[in-house]
Amino acid sequence: MASAKNQNSPAAARRAKLDEARRKERARERRSRVITITAAVVVLAGLVAGGGYLMSAADEQDKAEEQARTSPVTGEKSWDDLTQDHVETPVDYPMNPPVGGDHDPVWMNCDADVYTEPIPDENAVHSLEHGAVWVTYNDKAKDADVKALSERVGKTPYSLMSPVADQKDPLMLSAWGKQLTVKSATDARVAQFFTKYVQGAQTPEPGAACSGGIAK
């Protein structure tokens, strides 16, 4: 009888209640650990998959840029054996805009510089010697194309842009010894020209400054 009374005593009831609370707490802890581990596995799997995707995307971008650099630009014109003397007199260039030859001792700033007024050929050619791409347009160019190209130049060190009223075509891109005419800013050759010739292999003085020159 005494044993039965002990089992039904308030103390026994409290112990039973405490044991039940501890059991539930352990169960909650187990569930929490399972959830935490599961979440960690999901996050890790996502990171691995995401990292793999980013690496794959980076590899594809590298391959595309390498192809752009090594492939010829369809429709471009080339000139070889261009002189590089510094002169302080006007130069009569055989092409318009000029892509090389004798030029002014001071370059035109070409650190993503967009000029809305004409700039001296002789200074621009010096910029090309430093590895810049020069985008030019005349009054027949569409406003949307001029805007899009100015935005590209504005984001690209070693490039500059200016109007050339008497050039043959509305939109032209020039680098040292290279020139390309395009009909619109969306032409895929625009991106290739920039990738291939901004500080490209044609550059006579790679790494030379594109700032600290003339800023019109």
Side-chain angles (χ1 to χ4, degrees):
M1 280 303 278
S3 176
K5 286 181 179 180
N6 289 338
Q7 290 177 357
N8 294 323
S9 68
R14 286 195 297 272
R15 282 196 299 273
K17 191 173 182 179
L18 182 59
D19 289 341
E20 178 64 13
R22 287 172 176 170
R23 185 187 66 77
K24 290 181 179 179
E25 180 62 25
R26 288 194 294 271
R28 281 196 296 269
E29 289 176 352
R30 284 196 297 272
R31 286 196 300 273
S32 179
R33 285 196 297 271
V34 170
I35 292 171
T36 300
I37 293 170
T38 301
V41 169
V42 170
V43 170
L44 181 60
L47 289 173
V48 170
Y53 170 79
L54 291 174
M55 290 179 65
S56 177
D59 287 343
E60 290 300 318
Q61 180 67 22
D62 289 344
K63 290 178 182 177
E65 291 183 358
E66 180 62 22
Q67 184 175 6
R69 281 191 291 268
T70 56
S71 300
V73 180
T74 303
E76 74 175 13
K77 296 179 180 179
S78 297
W79 289 263
D80 298 319
D81 302 322
L82 296 167
T83 57
Q84 294 176 239
D85 293 332
H86 288 178
V87 297
E88 297 184 5
T89 56
V91 179
D92 183 17
Y93 294 104
M95 73 293 287
N96 185 36
V99 299
D102 295 345
H103 49 269
D104 193 89
V106 184
W107 56 91
M108 203 76 199
N109 281 349
C110 46
D111 191 16
D113 289 279
V114 177
Y115 301 98
T116 57
E117 299 293 334
I119 60 177
D121 286 345
E122 293 80 8
N123 301 102
V125 169
H126 197 154
S127 301
L128 301 186
E129 185 183 44
H130 288 191
V133 163
W134 183 19
V135 178
T136 55
Y137 60 96
N138 62 22
D139 58 4
K140 294 180 181 179
K142 295 178 181 178
D143 290 343
D145 289 326
V146 173
K147 182 175 183 294
L149 288 169
S150 66
E151 289 175 351
R152 177 183 286 274
V153 169
K155 298 176 183 177
T156 309
Y158 284 92
S159 72
L160 70 164
M161 181 173 179
S162 71
V164 175
D166 59 347
Q167 68 179 31
K168 178 183 176 182
D169 299 300
L171 300 170
M172 300 178 73
L173 285 71
S174 302
W176 185 269
K178 306 291 181 181
Q179 193 164 80
L180 176 70
T181 293
V182 295
K183 291 186 177 180
S184 77
T186 59
D187 190 317
R189 295 176 299 167
V190 172
Q192 184 186 5
F193 198 90
F194 271 75
T195 298
K196 189 177 180 73
Y197 295 127
V198 169
Q199 284 284 283
Q202 87 293 341
T203 304
E205 296 181 2
C210 243
S211 58
I214 294 177
K216 189 170 182 179

